């Protein structure tokens, strides 16, 4: 067994760690207070190779491993939890467009995606279909040389700022097998964006996307007409580990800040760190975060080996954000009143992490998947 990163992974980790510490962390609270994340910053992520991590080499990316994407998620999460969403969504778009897109769409979108000049959202959830995504109702109807899209997508990350969205729509009848995927340019006539006022993760400009008779060329379709749901699930299987690592990175940052505080703040004549009731709490959170972190990297490693990893991805998607939220919460109380003050980013991290307890599937849905993998499909409550 090998538990360590190799030289390439370690070098990559150093570069992303430095960027997160020096560039992201100092500005973390600006985007929460309402300032928009400038597009030049996305180009910066592109220049660092983070937006093109999963883009094929011939389109300007590095076709990096999923473990590298995990390292990016964890380290960026320490600097700015929500920036990890940009990198996760770029990886998903690269895999879906690179794997299922037409030659023209690949040529036009992937180099810009890799450069950080294009943001591509992932549009699955709807007002009436979240956990039960296969119940989605957005329609894609073929008319002459176009797909015509009608419907509403709910809670879409980057809804306010993306250039395109991979829209999952009903193309070929009911159920999961009737769903297809189409890349929809968001400047097309008939598209409306409706931003939400999110509790956290504000940089991601989450919101609704409404499609009213939006016409998209036929070659914007990704894969076969009924393959959309499978594509979405393939993406979820590794993104769930990336989400866990983003949350763990953010939580470890809060815990590291708490450790530094505990060494200098004294009560009852000695530093907080020397009170066992205090230090043991830190020990517990670090233990839980480390356990979840190993499961996340194992999931990504399995993916890189081409081995099944649905079970591990679902396990870590509920465990990682949960232990991260608990650690973020503890970091606030372990700072006393100061932790509850907005001068520190501790509350923002907790709000950000909670969002990803929901996004990409809640704990209840993840446990349903784990149970299905344990008991077998014939025992699942829903198919
Ligand atoms: C920060 C954030 C970012 C997101 N980004 C995106 C995005 O980019 N693209 C996208 O398509 N979607 C996105 N989403 C949407 C997200 O995937 C859905 O919110 C999620 O799948 C849950 O769906 P829902 O909100 O409709 O809740 P519902 O499905 O209505 O569920 C509500 C509650 O009931 C529980 N529940 C539901 N069914 C069951 C069951 N069978 N047994 C037990 N409990 C159950 C759920 O666990 C949840 O607690 C995002 C959400 C958030 C919060």
């Amino acid at each position: 067994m090998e538990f360590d990163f190799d030289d390439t992974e370690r070098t990559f980790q150093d570069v992303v760690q430095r960027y997160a510490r020096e560039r992201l962390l100092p500005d973390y609270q600006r985007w929460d207070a309402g300032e928009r994340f400038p597009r030049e910053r996305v180009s910066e992520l592109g220049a660092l190779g983070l937006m093109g991590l999963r883009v094929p080499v011939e389109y300007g990316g590095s076709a990096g491993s999923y473990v590298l994407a995990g390292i990016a998620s964890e380290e960026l999460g320490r600097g700015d939890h929500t920036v990890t969403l940009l990198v996760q969504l770029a990886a998903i778009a690269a895999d879906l467009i690179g794997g299922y897109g037409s030659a023209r769409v690949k040529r036009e979108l992937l180099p810009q995606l890799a450069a950080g000049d294009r943001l591509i959202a992932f549009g699955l959830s709807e007002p009436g279909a979240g956990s039960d995504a296969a119940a989605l109702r957005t329609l894609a109807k073929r008319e002459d040389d176009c797909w015509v899209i009608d419907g509403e997508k709910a809670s879409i990350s980057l809804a306010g700022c993306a250039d395109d969205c991979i829209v999952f729509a009903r193309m070929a009848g009911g159920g999961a097998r009737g769903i297809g995927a189409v890349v929809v340019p968001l400047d097309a006539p008939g598209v409306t964006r409706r931003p939400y006022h999110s509790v956290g993760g504000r940089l991601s400009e989450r919101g609704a996307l409404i499609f009213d008779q939006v016409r998209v060329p036929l070659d914007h379709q990704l894969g076969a007409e009924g393959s959309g749901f499978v594509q979405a699930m393939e993406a979820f299987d590794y993104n769930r580990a990336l989400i866990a690592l983003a949350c763990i990175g953010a939580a470890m940052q809060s815990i590291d800040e708490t450790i530094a505080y505990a060494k200098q703040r004294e009560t009852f004549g000695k530093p907080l760190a020397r009170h066992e009731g205090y230090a043991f709490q830190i020990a517990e959170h670090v233990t839980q975060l480390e356990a979840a972190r190993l499961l996340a990297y194992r999931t990504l490693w399995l993916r890189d080996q081409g081995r099944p990893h649905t079970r591990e991805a679902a396990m870590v998607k509920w465990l990682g954000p949960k232990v991260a939220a608990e650690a973020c919460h503890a970091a606030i109380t372990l700072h006393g009143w100061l932790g509850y003050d907005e001068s520190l980013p501790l509350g923002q991290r907790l709000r950000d992490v909670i969002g990803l307890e929901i996004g990409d599937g809640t704990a209840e849905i993840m446990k349903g998947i784990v149970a299905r993998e344990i008991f077998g499909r014939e025992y699942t409550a829903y198919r």
Side-chain angles (χ1 to χ4, degrees):
M1 281 185 101
E2 178 57 80
F3 275 108
D4 217 352
F5 294 140
D6 65 21
D7 287 346
T8 312
E9 289 159 347
R10 215 169 298 119
T11 307
F12 179 75
Q13 183 187 34
D14 286 346
V15 170
V16 186
Q17 207 168 67
R18 196 169 335 114
Y19 180 77
R21 189 177 54 239
E22 292 173 5
R23 187 73 171 140
L24 296 181
L25 190 57
D27 285 338
Y28 178 49
Q29 290 167 285
R30 278 174 63 187
W31 327 122
D32 189 55
E35 254 186 273
R36 275 188 114 178
F37 191 66
R39 282 304 276 258
E40 303 86 78
R41 298 281 184 116
V42 186
S43 307
E44 244 173 58
L45 296 171
L48 273 173
L50 296 169
M51 299 296 283
L53 259 180
R54 292 292 311 154
V55 172
V57 175
E58 63 267 40
Y59 296 107
S62 57
S65 68
Y66 291 100
V67 165
L68 282 177
I71 293 171
S73 227
E74 182 184 6
E75 297 304 334
L76 291 174
R78 282 180 162 268
D80 188 323
H81 180 261
T82 313
V83 166
T84 66
L85 281 182
L86 303 178
V87 173
Q88 287 164 26
L89 287 161
I92 291 175
D95 278 344
L96 296 188
I97 295 172
Y100 300 96
S102 67
R104 182 168 75 103
V105 167
K106 283 193 224 183
R107 211 173 43 241
E108 286 181 1
L109 299 194
L110 291 180
Q112 290 188 35
L113 179 69
D117 294 338
R118 205 163 188 109
L119 288 172
I120 305 179
F122 180 87
L124 182 66
S125 306
E126 297 186 357
S131 302
D132 186 9
L136 64 81
R137 297 172 68 166
T138 295
L139 270 186
K141 239 172 69 192
R142 194 192 278 255
E143 264 181 31
D144 308 323
D145 55 350
C146 279
W147 283 109
V148 182
I149 316 290
D150 264 304
E152 177 171 342
K153 292 293 169 184
S155 186
I156 306 303
S157 300
L158 315 185
C161 54
D163 302 287
D164 311 272
C165 180
I166 298 175
V167 174
F168 294 87
R170 201 151 289 295
M171 281 182 174
R177 291 198 180 89
I179 296 170
V182 194
V183 183
V184 180
L186 295 179
D187 59 359
V191 176
T192 306
R193 305 173 193 248
R194 203 176 64 230
Y196 297 162
H197 298 285
S198 292
V199 168
R202 293 181 181 144
L203 173 160
S204 76
E205 301 190 38
R206 204 167 53 91
L209 291 171
I210 298 133
F211 303 96
D212 179 14
Q213 294 278 301
V214 177
R215 300 179 76 83
V216 184
L218 286 182
D219 70 356
H220 278 224
Q221 182 181 335
L222 300 179
E225 284 183 21
S227 71
F229 197 72
V230 172
Q231 289 180 43
M233 295 307 128
E234 274 176 13
F236 280 161
D237 266 358
Y238 68 85
N239 201 47
R240 287 176 174 155
L242 299 188
I243 284 177
L245 284 165
C247 294
I248 290 163
M252 269 315 301
Q253 182 62 32
S254 278
I255 290 292
D256 282 348
E257 289 166 9
T258 310
I259 292 167
Y261 181 71
K263 286 179 181 166
Q264 53 88 16
R265 168 81 172 173
E266 293 195 356
T267 65
F268 304 97
K270 55 184 181 183
L272 287 170
R274 289 181 56 199
H275 295 286
E276 284 186 341
Y278 190 105
F280 283 12
Q281 289 188 57
I282 298 285
E284 284 173 16
H285 288 295
V286 172
T287 305
Q288 285 166 351
L289 290 168
E290 185 61 26
R293 180 176 179 271
L294 288 173
L295 181 57
Y297 279 114
R298 176 168 161 74
T299 306
L300 296 169
W301 178 83
L302 286 170
R303 173 86 172 199
D304 281 328
Q305 307 304 309
R307 287 168 56 182
H309 52 285
T310 300
R311 191 176 89 119
E312 289 76 8
M315 285 175 171
V316 82
K317 173 62 182 64
W318 74 260
L319 182 68
K322 174 180 181 284
V323 296
E326 288 167 358
C328 288
H329 182 173
I332 295 173
T333 55
L334 291 172
H335 273 79
W337 70 262
L338 185 58
Y340 199 58
D341 195 87
E342 285 205 334
S343 58
L344 297 185
L346 300 170
Q348 184 185 345
R349 285 208 195 94
L350 176 60
R351 288 187 279 110
D352 286 0
V353 164
I354 287 173
L356 288 184
E357 287 193 275
I358 304 167
D360 248 27
T362 59
E364 291 75 23
I365 299 306
M366 293 307 112
K367 289 174 193 173
I369 296 170
V370 177
R372 182 192 72 199
E373 297 290 312
I374 294 170
F375 287 101
R377 270 180 193 275
E378 62 274 32
Y379 291 97
T380 138
Y382 26 83
R383 296 173 189 220

